[in-house]
């Protein structure tokens, strides 16, 4: 399994985590746009609007965030793309994606107006990223011709040249970007040390252990054998939270000095991909649950006016789609707020 695939699987897993995705968007978007978006309702587009014929060319990690303003709540879609090597034609790839996305969106939804799509590129080629726009790829006789070029901007995080400490990323994401920043530097072990210092701040402990394992897997797959002893010593020094973590670190390095075969690498990648699929499904299910809760609140508010805070909390405590859908069907048949409240209390038990 090639190294670029290891990088790609790793960043997909990290960005499939809601906290990481939200921190990335909030840190990279202009403040004026951040204020207009409801990040509590971020949604992983499990079935993205990209034809299957193009899915192999893209990371296909698309999230949407609804806006908070206006009577019609619009969605803003974000394409999260990763490159571990410099690709000059990336703006052209983004344009192709956006056009195909819009065409598929209209076919699937019947909408005539198109949603906003904001491409975000996360890159860490060894030499850093060389910013290019679509107009840079076109042989223009003069600037007078620029008005005919469909130029657009995309957000860029250059993990080689940008300092993650300058961004308000979640600690887990900041740890990965720190490793990338130092990956080709003589001070790589300094970056590893800082990454473990960031990881140990993660809460809750189950999340800490999950991302600690991922970082260790990633280092195992991408670094030379001779570096493992130093990495292990740094991990054991910095992650001093108890026997659980020491056992994890020891397990990751249990085969120190043994030959690592191609099949072992492929198995590691499959583990990553399986975890990613689990996260996607969890995220998708949670988004549907929250959407059904909001729909019920909107319908009940329309019928009875602003709902008491305690009733809102009861609705949000219902964790089964079946109960929420049943309440959405029944609310229009209730005669009073008291009758509706009784149904909610029963569903919440």
């Amino acid at each position: 399994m090639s190294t670029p695939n290891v990088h790609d699987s790793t960043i997909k897993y990290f960005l499939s985590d809601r906290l990481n995705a939200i921190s990335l968007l909030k840190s990279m978007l202009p403040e004026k746009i951040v204020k207009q978006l409801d990040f509590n309702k971020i949604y992983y587009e499990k079935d993205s609007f990209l034809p299957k014929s193009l899915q192999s060319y893209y990371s296909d990690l698309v999230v949407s965030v609804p806006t908070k303003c206006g009577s019609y709540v619009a969605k803003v879609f974000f394409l999260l793309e990763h490159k571990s090597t410099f690709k000059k034609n990336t703006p052209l790839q983004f344009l192709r994606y956006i056009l195909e996305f819009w065409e598929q969106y209209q076919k699937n939804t019947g909408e005539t107006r198109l949603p906003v799509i904001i491409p975000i590129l996360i890159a860490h080629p060894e030499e850093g990223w060389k910013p290019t726009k679509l107009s840079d790829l076109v042989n223009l006789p003069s600037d007078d011709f620029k008005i005919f070029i469909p130029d657009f901007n995309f957000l860029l995080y250059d993990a080689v040249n940008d300092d993650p400490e300058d961004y308000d990323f979640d600690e887990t994401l900041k740890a990965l970007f720190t490793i990338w920043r130092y990956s080709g530097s003589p001070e790589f072990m300094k970056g590893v040390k800082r990454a473990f210092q960031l990881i140990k701040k993660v809460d809750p402990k189950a999340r800490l252990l999950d991302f600690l394992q991922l970082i260790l897997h990633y280092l195992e797959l991408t670094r030379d054998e001779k570096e493992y002893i130093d990495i292990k010593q740094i991990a054991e020094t910095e992650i001093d939270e108890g026997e659980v973590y020491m056992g994890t670190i020891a397990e990751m390095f249990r085969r120190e000095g043994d030959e690592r075969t191609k099949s072992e690498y492929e198995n590691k990648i499959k583990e990553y991909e399986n975890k990613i699929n689990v996260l996607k499904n969890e995220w998708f299910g949670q988004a549907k649950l929250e959407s059904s809760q909001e729909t019920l609140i909107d319908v009940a508010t329309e019928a009875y006016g602003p709902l008491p805070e305690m009733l809102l909390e009861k609705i949000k405590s219902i964790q089964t789609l079946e109960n929420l859908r049943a309440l959405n069907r029944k609310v229009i048949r209730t005669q009073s707020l008291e009758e509706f409240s009784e149904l909610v209390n029963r569903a919440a038990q």
Side-chain angles (χ1 to χ4, degrees):
M1 185 62 64
S2 66
T3 299
N5 286 344
V6 175
H7 299 319
D8 194 52
S9 295
T10 301
I11 190 62
K12 277 186 185 179
Y13 186 91
F14 273 72
L15 293 180
S16 293
D17 179 86
R18 288 172 67 93
L19 293 179
N20 283 337
I22 291 172
S23 75
L24 180 85
L25 297 181
K26 284 186 174 181
S27 297
M28 296 192 65
L29 288 169
E31 186 177 353
K32 289 182 178 179
I33 292 181
V34 170
K35 290 179 178 179
Q36 297 179 56
L37 300 177
D38 187 354
F39 289 96
N40 291 326
K41 299 178 183 176
I42 189 171
Y43 183 83
Y44 174 77
E45 297 291 336
K46 187 167 185 253
D47 301 309
S48 74
F49 298 97
L50 184 67
K52 290 182 178 179
S53 59
L54 286 182
Q55 286 182 4
S56 61
Y57 294 98
Y58 298 92
S59 64
D60 196 31
L61 191 58
V62 179
V63 300
S64 64
V65 182
T67 58
K68 296 188 286 190
C69 55
S71 56
Y72 171 70
V73 179
K75 275 187 174 182
V76 177
F77 289 83
F78 295 92
L79 163 62
L80 305 175
E81 182 66 25
H82 163 257
K83 301 285 187 189
S84 58
T85 56
F86 176 71
K87 303 290 184 182
K88 186 177 181 180
N89 280 348
T90 296
L92 188 60
Q93 292 179 331
F94 276 143
L95 178 62
R96 183 185 298 117
Y97 184 99
I98 292 169
L99 294 176
E100 292 282 354
F101 187 103
W102 276 339
E103 183 177 355
Q104 199 74 14
Y105 178 86
Q106 286 189 321
K107 286 180 180 178
N108 291 355
T109 66
E111 296 282 349
T112 56
R113 294 179 67 84
L114 300 170
V116 175
I117 302 173
I118 300 179
I120 298 180
L121 175 62
I122 301 167
H124 63 110
E126 288 183 9
E127 68 280 7
W129 193 262
K130 302 167 187 174
T132 54
K133 299 180 68 173
L134 190 62
S135 56
D136 296 329
L137 306 179
V138 180
N139 188 10
L140 296 171
S142 72
D143 286 347
D144 297 327
F145 291 83
K146 278 189 175 181
I147 61 172
F148 302 105
I149 305 302
D151 232 347
F152 61 94
N153 291 324
F154 58 88
L155 297 176
L156 168 67
Y157 180 77
D158 182 345
V160 174
N161 293 314
D162 292 341
D163 188 347
E165 302 290 351
D166 293 337
Y167 293 80
D168 192 22
F169 295 140
D170 184 86
E171 284 85 358
T172 57
L173 196 59
K174 195 178 288 188
L176 177 64
F177 289 164
T178 298
I179 289 173
W180 280 356
R181 189 175 190 219
Y182 285 91
S183 61
S185 167
E187 296 184 312
F188 174 69
M189 291 303 167
K190 174 183 174 182
V192 170
K193 180 177 180 179
R194 178 58 183 152
F196 287 131
Q197 290 171 345
L198 289 163
I199 284 290
K200 71 179 181 182
K201 296 178 182 178
V202 173
D203 193 63
K205 298 302 182 185
R207 189 166 180 263
L208 185 158
L209 184 57
D210 186 36
F211 281 99
L212 172 61
Q213 289 175 327
L214 282 171
I215 288 289
L216 289 168
H217 273 306
Y218 178 76
L219 291 170
E220 180 186 22
L221 292 171
T222 58
R223 305 307 298 189
D224 293 337
E225 183 87 20
K226 60 185 179 182
E227 297 176 305
Y228 293 162
I229 295 177
D230 289 340
I231 292 173
K232 179 183 177 183
Q233 289 176 344
I234 293 171
E236 290 176 340
T237 300
E238 296 299 331
I239 310 295
D240 54 355
E241 299 293 330
E243 293 182 1
V244 173
Y245 306 125
M246 289 302 98
T248 298
I249 293 168
E251 176 68 13
M252 293 301 301
F253 292 94
R254 70 191 183 281
R255 290 174 299 131
E256 208 169 77
D258 291 350
E259 180 181 358
R260 287 167 169 78
T261 65
K262 179 180 177 181
S263 63
E264 288 174 325
Y265 285 161
E266 291 174 344
N267 288 335
K268 293 293 185 186
I269 293 300
K270 287 178 182 178
E271 287 178 20
Y272 275 128
E273 291 172 347
N274 289 337
K275 284 191 175 185
I276 290 168
N277 289 331
V278 169
L279 276 179
K280 286 179 180 178
N281 291 330
E282 288 177 353
W283 191 342
F284 181 63
Q286 183 62 28
K288 288 204 297 186
L289 193 68
E290 292 172 359
S291 176
S292 189
Q293 290 169 346
E294 291 296 329
T295 299
L296 179 59
I297 290 171
D298 289 344
V299 172
T301 300
E302 184 70 23
Y304 301 116
L307 305 181
E309 189 65 31
M310 186 175 294
L311 183 56
L312 291 173
E313 293 301 320
K314 279 281 186 181
I315 292 173
K316 292 178 181 179
S317 73
I318 300 173
Q319 296 297 305
T320 59
L321 281 172
E322 293 76 11
N323 286 350
L324 288 166
R325 287 169 178 163
L327 285 170
N328 272 300
R329 292 192 298 268
K330 293 177 181 178
V331 64
I332 59 174
R333 298 199 294 269
T334 57
Q335 302 298 314
S336 66
L337 180 60
E338 290 72 19
E339 184 181 350
F340 172 68
S341 298
E342 179 59 30
L343 289 175
V344 171
N345 287 332
R346 278 189 235 154
Q349 291 177 352

